Amino acid sequence: MTGRAILVTGSSRGIGRAIARRFAAGGDRVAVHHRDSAPLAEQLAAALPGEGHVVVQADLADPAAVRAMVDDAAARLGGLDVLVNNAGAFGRADPPHPVFGTDYDEWQAMWRRTFDVNLFGAANAAWAAAQHMRERGGRIVNVSSRGAFRGEPEQPAYGASKAALNSMAQSLAVALAPYGIAVACVAPGFVETDMTNEHLKAERGAEIRAQSPFSRVARPEEIASAVHWLASAEAEWASGSIIDLNGASYLRT
């Protein structure tokens, strides 16, 4: 088999789709993961350049399904070199839940649902992937968010889950380095995808674009390029890093 074996969660659409395309364009074999969008995933896998791409399915909120999905991807790809934890709950999957205006039952449900996918799903996928990388080395790249740093008052569970994802990645970066496994994150601001489409409409969209001095939001391909670099052999020394990709819309030191 030629190229590396890549698993990209949530890759049937949006940022994940662009990431899958970027790896395939570089000659890698990609496992396209989806939860409930099989037609889109199959369409993407068939359209990717190169050969050996596969489709895998799992609800990331189900720990057993996550482990089975990662093992399936590794078996069908002939191993696993890179895991991209891209899948996440936002937009329609993570509606606003401010402290005032959200009843207590819904408040609890939102936090559980968001952490089940954004943190626990990613952590379980990383654990399962590391079992396949232990003897060969590898890369784990997590797609975090600007919201981990600036706060998300309307969607606090989302911001908190991404902050926890960053912390998890840094802990794993230290734990897995002796095995040749580097772990890092990218933290985008708004990206133009179907998940963020409703936020980018009309007056709200103009306000969001104005947050960046470039007066726009990111393209999925820009995030994909950074992920592709972090997964490269040259980026080992970036292990533990969290790379901001927000067009100077939020600056931290």
Side-chain angles (χ1 to χ4, degrees):
M1 293 184 179
T2 59
R4 297 173 298 171
I6 317 292
L7 169 58
V8 184
T9 67
S11 48
S12 65
R13 54 166 58 93
I15 296 172
R17 190 177 185 90
I19 293 171
R21 285 174 169 164
R22 182 66 183 83
F23 278 106
D28 296 320
R29 291 166 288 112
V30 181
V32 177
H33 160 263
H34 72 96
R35 183 187 65 178
D36 54 13
S37 53
L40 285 175
E42 294 286 355
Q43 180 187 56
L44 174 61
L48 291 176
E51 298 179 344
H53 311 301
V54 300
V55 173
V56 293
Q57 186 277 334
D59 180 350
L60 293 188
D62 180 342
V66 172
R67 185 176 187 183
M69 179 271 294
V70 174
D71 290 347
D72 182 34
R76 295 167 67 191
L77 292 175
L80 193 60
D81 298 301
V82 178
L83 166 68
V84 181
N85 273 318
N86 165 74
F90 185 73
R92 292 183 297 274
D94 181 27
H97 48 279
V99 175
F100 300 119
T102 304
D103 69 45
Y104 191 46
D105 288 342
E106 182 60 18
W107 172 263
Q108 294 176 73
M110 285 305 310
W111 281 81
R112 283 194 299 270
R113 184 159 65 241
T114 303
F115 269 70
D116 276 347
V117 175
N118 291 3
L119 179 63
F120 303 140
N124 291 335
W127 182 93
Q131 312 310 308
H132 296 280
M133 297 177 183
R134 183 171 184 170
E135 303 300 327
R136 62 195 284 166
R139 298 287 183 267
I140 299 173
V141 184
N142 302 299
V143 178
S144 180
S145 170
R146 172 185 69 172
F149 304 106
R150 69 167 197 164
E152 294 288 349
E154 296 296 311
Q155 294 171 297
Y158 178 80
S161 70
K162 292 300 188 177
L165 180 67
N166 291 341
S167 180
M168 179 201 79
Q170 292 183 322
S171 293
L172 293 185
V174 177
L176 298 179
Y179 302 94
I181 304 170
V183 187
C185 297
V186 295
F190 264 93
V191 183
E192 195 163 4
T193 69
D194 58 346
M195 284 179 66
T196 60
N197 185 50
E198 292 183 10
H199 295 273
L200 295 172
K201 290 179 180 177
E203 293 182 8
R204 177 85 199 283
E207 178 185 332
I208 291 170
R209 291 181 180 90
Q211 292 173 3
S212 167
F214 292 100
S215 297
R216 68 176 180 86
V217 298
R219 297 183 294 272
E221 293 75 19
E222 293 174 305
I223 312 306
S225 292
V227 170
H228 188 262
W229 178 75
L230 283 173
S232 69
E234 293 82 1
E236 182 173 85
W237 220 238
S239 191
S241 297
I242 303 166
I243 298 179
D244 292 328
L245 299 171
N246 64 52
S249 65
Y250 182 78
L251 302 175
R252 62 189 179 96
T253 56

